[in-house]
Amino acid sequence: MGKLTALRPTPRLRGRAGQKQRERRLQRTNYLCEDCLAQGIIRLANIVDHIIPLAHGGPDTDENTRNLCDEHNLKRTAEQFDLKSPVPAIGQDGWPIE
């Protein structure tokens, strides 16, 4: 059997260059959450999420990112790392969705 090797996380761009990259990625969707837009909801995105996490070896490219609000980021992160979703989905009326 071959040796198992751990995935090495992809390095993240930091500093002023990282801030410019984040701003450019958020502008791509006019600062709106992509998951909310898919549901017909308008909500500001404040997180650039990696579809394949950098911790799982995903590339730090625009094609591997999506802009999310806090709620959707928590949900997607829980899915990506096989965690229980920490926050129930909230409907437009403000009540939890089953």
Side-chain angles (χ1 to χ4, degrees), residues 18-55:
Q19 291 172 350
K20 286 182 180 180
Q21 180 188 63
R22 179 181 182 277
E23 183 72 17
R24 181 177 45 78
R25 288 175 175 173
L26 285 169
Q27 285 177 353
R28 183 181 66 218
T29 61
N30 294 315
Y31 301 89
L32 298 177
C33 174
E34 295 179 48
D35 284 1
C36 288
L37 286 173
Q39 298 172 8
I41 300 169
I42 305 288
R43 187 177 293 152
L44 286 176
N46 55 350
I47 297 170
V48 177
D49 177 60
H50 287 84
I51 298 166
I52 301 171
L54 299 180

Side-chain angles (χ1 to χ4, degrees), residues 63-80:
E63 296 77 27
N64 187 42
T65 62
R66 59 186 162 213
N67 298 325
L68 300 175
C69 62
D70 285 328
E71 178 184 331
H72 281 116
N73 180 60
L74 288 171
K75 179 180 175 187
R76 293 294 189 139
T77 299
E79 291 169 357
Q80 292 167 335

